[in-house]
């Protein structure tokens, strides 16, 4: 007989790999190396490569490393690294690849060239080349650490040295928007309610049935009764049920949905999974509980799915959980108190109003209670799983039923993005659950008014600043805070007049104009009669100077009049202003720019602003007064001596 083809060949390979998994090959032995991770089997078969000895050495380290570290999704990175290296060695060494081994120092150049060639297959800035190269180095270094396994010293030094490639560029995932998060929470409560109703209806139907041999193999209650009481198995459905063409309409719609007909070739499998979903929670159902727990507690996905029944203590008004964060090695005991009923989540009905339902939004205790209730039957059938409440029932392709821990990334239609699509929740960007954690952290930062020490309550402030503080919401908030602060001080600067008031117009300004500009009748009369002339300007009140104590005569006039809010500049002061500018220009030649800016910078700016508003004719007339000796500038003696400090 020839080799099986199509599905028969795949079935044979899978059985061979399962047999290898049940009876693992000893290090150095011949045969495929198999690693089982959630949702799939990972295989490295040294026989597929010319460099079978090298592949066998790396595969041995791979299987032991996965078993020792209990890594899951990362195991695929190491398998891919072994495959990439072995295929490169086969092509580069051609017939010589058969003798390639980690004990051969001549393999050094090949490893270096392979590592440097990795970026060719990836986009610029990708982090994958560095990751793959690091995986091979880990396996080589691990083999070198083993006392009974030989590695060439040159290869060991290479493995322990720095990777020849850059780490690549990575982009932080942004958090979900508040609208997206609100939609997810609402959809999660809807999903939980639908799951509970489905399971209640399923068990109620099961109580109405009997053994299919006594009843009917096409009766939904009889099939549910048989599965619920372990009188039949899913494989019995494949063996004893008639073709889907002979099914009644009720069974067809139960399997595929109202108005739908299942495909004849997959009808029995679809029915088996539909029956099991009526009795036990599925992979997709548990996404809702994870969303609600992350929203209610603010902790990571691995923490809210990593506590078992023994780590739950229900309180009169809340719950206390023991949370384990594997990556940080932190074990926490946290109590979550119930919120007042007024914080219940309102749901919108079809009429446009609001339908109030008993769906608490952030009561972790209620979520945990419902999770305990929904998964109770599965946990009873999976006593080996004690470290998590997230357990589900799965019907595999071979009609085998498995009660085990929840695998949210398994390729059986239960991934997070598929749950979002099924619940009609649309999000922008990657549908990754880690973004929900960032949304919760952003809300915490908003509530604590941006205090990092309060928002980073379950990790370091450095982690918060580097990983969570880059979200769009916080950047917008930071921008608004900065803009608000700038506007506040700008408004205060505008409200505070630190310069003189300039009265423009002809030289014959009357007392009425001064009164209209904001002066009292007495102040206007004193200015008109020259009693308040300070040299370069008139002073509204010399005894209320911002540079002297209240009630004392101003001690800095006229040197600081151009910085004083009490100063009033009239057209008749223009010749003195030009003389004062000449004085400041002389000081600019004597002082360093820093010293001049510190001592006279504001006066210089205000003076130029006043003179720029004058017409050329007014300036020319003022210079004629100076040349005729009709204008002079009286300055104190100290104004003629400056020290460049």
């Amino acid at each position: 007989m020839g080799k099986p083809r199509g599905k028969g060949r795949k079935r044979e390979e899978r059985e061979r790999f399962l047999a290898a998994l049940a009876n693992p090959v000893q290090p150095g032995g011949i045969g495929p190396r198999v690693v089982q991770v959630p949702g799939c089997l990972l295989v490295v078969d040294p026989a597929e490569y010319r460099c079978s000895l090298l592949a066998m050495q790396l595969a041995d380290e791979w299987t032991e490393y996965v078993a020792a570290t209990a890594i899951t999704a990362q195991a695929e990175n190491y398998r891919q690294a072994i495959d990439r290296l072995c295929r490169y060695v086969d092509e580069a060494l051609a017939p010589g690849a058969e003798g390639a081994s980690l004990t051969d120092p001549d393999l050094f150049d090949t490893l270096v060239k392979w590592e440097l060639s990795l970026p060719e297959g990836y986009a610029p800035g990708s982090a994958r080349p560095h990751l793959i190269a690091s995986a091979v180095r880990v396996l080589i270094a691990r083999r070198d650490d083993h006392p009974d396994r030989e590695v060439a010293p040159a290869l060991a030094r290479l493995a322990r040295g720095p990777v020849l490639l850059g780490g690549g560029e990575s982009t932080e995932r942004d958090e979900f928007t508040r609208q997206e998060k609100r939609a997810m929470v609402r959809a999660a409560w809807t999903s939980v309610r639908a799951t509970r109703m489905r399971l209640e209806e399923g068990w109620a139907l099961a109580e109405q049935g009997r053994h299919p041999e006594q009843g009917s193999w096409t009766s939904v209650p009889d099939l549910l009764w048989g599965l619920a009481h372990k009188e039949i198995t899913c494989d019995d459905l494949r063996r004893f049920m008639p073709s889907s063409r002979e099914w009644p309409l009720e069974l067809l719609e139960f399997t595929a949905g109202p108005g739908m007909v299942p495909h004849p070739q997959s009808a029995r499998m679809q029915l088996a999974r539909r029956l099991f979903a009526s009795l036990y929670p599925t992979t997709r159902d548990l996404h809702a509980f994870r969303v609600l727990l992350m929203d209610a507690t603010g902790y990571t996905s691995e923490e809210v799915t990593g506590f078992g029944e023994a780590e739950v203590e229900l309180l009169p008004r809340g719950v206390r959980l023991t949370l384990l964060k594997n990556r940080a090695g932190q074990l926490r005991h946290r109590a979550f108190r119930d919120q007042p009923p007024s914080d219940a989540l309102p749901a919108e009905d079809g009429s446009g109003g609001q339908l109030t339902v008993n769906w608490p939004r952030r009561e972790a205790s209620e979520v945990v209670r419902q999770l305990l209730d929904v998964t109770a039957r599965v946990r009873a059938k999976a006593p080996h799983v004690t470290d998590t409440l997230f357990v589900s029932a799965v019907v595999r392709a071979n009609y085998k039923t498995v009660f085990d821990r929840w695998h949210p990334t398994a390729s059986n239609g239960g991934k997070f993005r598929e749950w979002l699509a099924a619940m009609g929740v649309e999000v922008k960007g990657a549908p990754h659950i880690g973004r929900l954690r960032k949304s919760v952290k952003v809300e915490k930062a908003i509530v604590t008014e941006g205090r990092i020490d309060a928002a980073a309550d379950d990790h370091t402030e450095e982690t918060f600043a580097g990983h969570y503080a880059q979200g769009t919401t916080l950047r917008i908030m930071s921008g608004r805070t900065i803009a608000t602060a700038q506007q506040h001080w700008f408004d205060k600067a505008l409200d505070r007049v630190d310069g003189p008031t300039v009265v423009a117009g002809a030289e014959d300004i009357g007392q009425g104009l001064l009164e209209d500009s904001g002066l009292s009748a007495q102040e206007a009369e004193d200015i008109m009669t020259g009693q308040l002339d300070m040299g370069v300007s008139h002073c509204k009140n010399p005894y209320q100077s911002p540079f002297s104590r209240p009630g004392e005569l101003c001690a800095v006039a006229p040197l600081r009049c151009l910085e004083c809010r009490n100063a009033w500049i009239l057209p008749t002061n223009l010749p003195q202003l030009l003389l004062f500018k000449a004085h400041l220009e002389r000081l600019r030649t004597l002082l360093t720019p820093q010293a001049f800016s510190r001592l006279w910078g504001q006066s210089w700016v205000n003076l130029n602003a006043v003179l720029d508003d004058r017409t050329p004719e007014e300036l020319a007339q003022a210079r004629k007064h100076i040349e005729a000796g009709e204008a002079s500038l009286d300055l104190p003696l100290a104004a003629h001596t400056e020290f460049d400090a």
Side-chain angles (χ1 to χ4, degrees):
M1 293 180 61
K3 291 185 177 180
R5 303 178 64 181
K7 293 184 178 180
R9 183 174 182 178
K10 291 182 179 179
R11 187 179 299 111
E12 182 185 80
E13 291 178 351
R14 182 176 180 83
E15 291 174 354
R16 181 164 62 94
F17 293 148
L18 287 173
L21 184 63
N23 301 286
V25 179
Q26 295 298 320
I30 300 175
R33 272 63 172 174
V34 185
V35 168
Q36 186 174 18
V37 296
C40 63
L41 294 175
L42 302 178
V43 183
V44 173
D45 191 352
E48 294 183 1
Y49 313 101
R50 288 183 183 178
C51 57
S52 58
L53 179 58
L54 174 63
M56 180 177 61
Q57 292 170 336
L58 294 173
D60 287 340
E61 301 303 327
W62 171 59
T63 55
E64 293 182 1
Y65 182 71
V66 173
T69 58
I71 59 176
T72 54
Q74 295 83 358
E76 168 62 19
N77 297 331
Y78 290 87
R79 188 209 63 79
Q80 184 180 359
I82 295 173
D83 179 72
R84 292 288 300 272
L85 174 60
C86 291
R87 293 188 184 281
Y88 181 88
V89 172
D90 284 353
E91 183 178 350
L93 301 184
E98 295 180 1
S101 169
L102 293 178
T103 61
D104 184 6
D106 294 336
L107 192 61
F108 179 90
D109 292 337
T110 305
L111 286 177
V112 170
K113 292 178 182 178
W114 168 75
E115 191 168 302
L116 294 176
S117 70
L118 285 174
E120 297 175 1
Y122 295 92
S126 173
R128 291 291 298 175
H130 183 277
L131 180 64
I132 292 175
S134 299
V136 169
R137 287 170 175 261
V138 168
L139 298 179
I140 296 176
R142 191 178 189 281
R143 188 173 185 84
D144 182 57
D145 289 336
H146 200 285
D148 299 330
R149 299 172 187 174
E150 183 181 355
V151 175
L155 301 184
R157 287 194 298 271
L158 175 65
R160 299 182 188 281
V163 179
L164 304 177
L165 305 173
E169 301 174 358
S170 60
T171 303
E172 287 285 344
R173 294 188 183 93
D174 205 357
E175 78 274 4
F176 291 117
T177 65
R178 301 186 70 180
Q179 293 77 11
E180 292 172 342
K181 180 174 174 292
R182 191 179 302 114
M184 269 187 280
V185 172
R186 184 180 292 112
W189 279 117
T190 302
S191 176
V192 167
R193 183 170 180 268
T195 299
R196 292 178 59 87
M197 291 180 61
R198 187 187 74 230
L199 298 181
E200 291 173 0
E201 292 173 358
W203 283 95
L205 278 177
E207 293 302 319
Q208 301 173 15
R210 53 182 174 170
H211 198 291
E213 293 290 349
Q214 301 172 0
S216 172
W217 283 97
T218 59
S219 169
V220 173
D222 293 346
L223 296 176
L224 288 172
W225 183 94
L227 292 174
H229 293 83
K230 300 182 183 180
E231 295 295 330
I232 65 173
T233 64
C234 287
D235 192 57
D236 292 335
L237 302 178
R238 178 180 61 84
R239 292 189 299 165
F240 300 121
M241 284 199 66
S243 171
S244 61
R245 296 182 181 88
E246 303 177 20
W247 292 2
L249 179 61
E250 178 187 3
L251 185 59
L252 291 173
E253 292 190 343
F254 175 83
T255 303
M260 304 291 291
V261 176
H263 193 280
Q265 294 183 352
S266 60
R268 291 185 179 91
M269 173 56 66
Q270 193 172 350
L271 173 62
R273 289 176 173 168
R274 180 69 179 84
L275 290 169
F276 244 61
S278 299
L279 300 175
Y280 307 103
T282 64
T283 301
R284 181 177 294 179
D285 295 331
L286 297 182
H287 283 291
F289 289 97
R290 181 173 62 168
V291 168
L292 294 176
L293 282 176
M294 290 181 68
D295 176 60
T297 66
Y299 286 90
T300 63
S301 172
E302 67 172 299
E303 290 175 288
V304 300
T305 60
F307 60 85
E309 188 175 0
E311 287 77 45
V312 176
E313 181 184 357
L314 294 174
L315 307 174
R317 297 186 61 185
V319 64
R320 181 178 289 107
L321 304 176
T322 299
L323 304 172
L324 174 63
K325 192 171 187 179
N326 291 325
R327 290 171 294 175
Q330 294 182 344
L331 188 67
R332 305 185 182 91
H333 305 279
R334 293 289 185 269
F336 302 96
R337 303 295 177 181
D338 293 344
Q339 294 183 354
S342 59
D343 290 337
L345 178 68
E348 297 180 1
D349 61 9
S351 63
Q354 289 189 341
L355 175 66
T356 302
V357 293
N358 188 23
W359 295 350
R361 180 174 185 265
R362 285 194 168 179
E363 291 185 5
S365 61
E366 182 63 21
V367 180
V368 172
R369 286 188 180 93
Q370 296 202 32
L371 180 59
L372 285 168
D373 183 48
V374 167
T375 61
R377 291 188 175 94
V378 180
R379 286 184 285 112
K381 294 180 178 295
H384 61 287
V385 181
T386 60
D387 58 346
T388 179
L389 296 179
F390 282 74
V391 290
S392 62
V394 177
V395 180
R396 291 181 175 170
N398 59 356
Y399 288 88
K400 181 181 179 180
T401 57
V402 178
F403 298 91
D404 204 346
R405 66 179 65 250
W406 181 57
H407 300 305
T409 59
S411 55
N412 57 0
K415 295 183 179 180
F416 182 58
R417 66 171 179 269
E418 294 166 344
W419 177 82
L420 290 174
M423 299 306 300
V425 179
E426 297 182 0
V427 298
K428 295 181 180 179
H432 193 279
I433 193 63
R435 296 177 61 193
L436 181 60
R437 156 78 165 171
K438 289 194 172 185
S439 299
V440 176
K441 298 297 290 186
V442 166
E443 289 185 357
K444 187 175 292 186
I446 294 173
V447 171
T448 57
E449 298 181 348
R451 294 196 300 274
I452 292 183
D453 58 339
D457 57 347
D458 58 341
H459 48 63
T460 63
E461 295 183 16
E462 290 78 9
T463 299
F464 180 88
H467 189 60
Y468 294 102
Q470 311 304 321
T472 299
T473 304
L474 289 184
R475 289 200 300 268
I476 293 175
M477 286 181 58
S478 300
R480 288 176 177 173
T481 301
I482 294 172
T484 301
Q486 290 176 337
Q487 187 64 41
H488 169 74
W489 290 109
F490 181 69
D491 293 341
K492 290 194 68 175
L494 292 180
D495 293 340
R496 178 188 175 191
V497 181
D498 286 334
T501 300
V502 181
V503 182
E507 293 188 6
D508 54 344
I509 291 179
Q511 182 174 344
L513 178 61
L514 295 179
E515 293 180 12
D516 294 339
S517 299
L519 293 175
S520 65
Q522 185 61 44
E523 291 171 343
E525 182 181 356
D526 292 341
I527 288 178
M528 294 299 298
T529 59
Q531 297 184 29
L532 298 178
D533 189 354
M534 307 301 290
V536 296
S537 69
H538 296 271
C539 186
K540 177 181 177 181
N541 190 343
Y543 293 94
Q544 292 293 330
S545 170
F547 302 102
S548 301
R549 294 180 179 179
E552 295 183 0
L553 185 64
C554 180
V556 295
L559 298 179
R560 300 300 177 194
C561 289
L562 288 169
E563 302 176 26
C564 182
R565 55 179 173 269
N566 288 336
W568 283 67
I569 297 178
L570 305 182
T572 54
N573 296 125
L574 187 54
Q576 285 77 16
L577 293 176
L578 291 175
L579 291 173
F580 190 62
K581 181 179 181 181
H583 172 72
L584 293 183
E585 287 176 341
R586 183 179 66 84
L587 294 180
R588 290 187 69 186
T589 63
L590 300 176
L591 301 175
T592 63
Q594 295 84 355
F596 180 82
S597 177
R598 184 178 70 254
L599 297 173
W600 300 101
Q602 191 62 56
S603 293
W604 178 257
V605 170
N606 293 353
L607 175 61
N608 285 314
V610 172
L611 296 178
D612 289 341
D613 289 338
R614 298 302 182 180
T615 64
E617 292 77 11
E618 290 177 319
L619 295 175
Q621 186 66 29
R623 291 189 180 96
K624 289 181 180 180
H625 282 285
I626 296 174
E627 293 171 358
E630 298 176 359
S632 61
L633 179 63
D634 297 324
L635 297 177
L637 182 61
H640 299 282
T641 304
E642 293 289 345
F643 298 93
D644 186 357

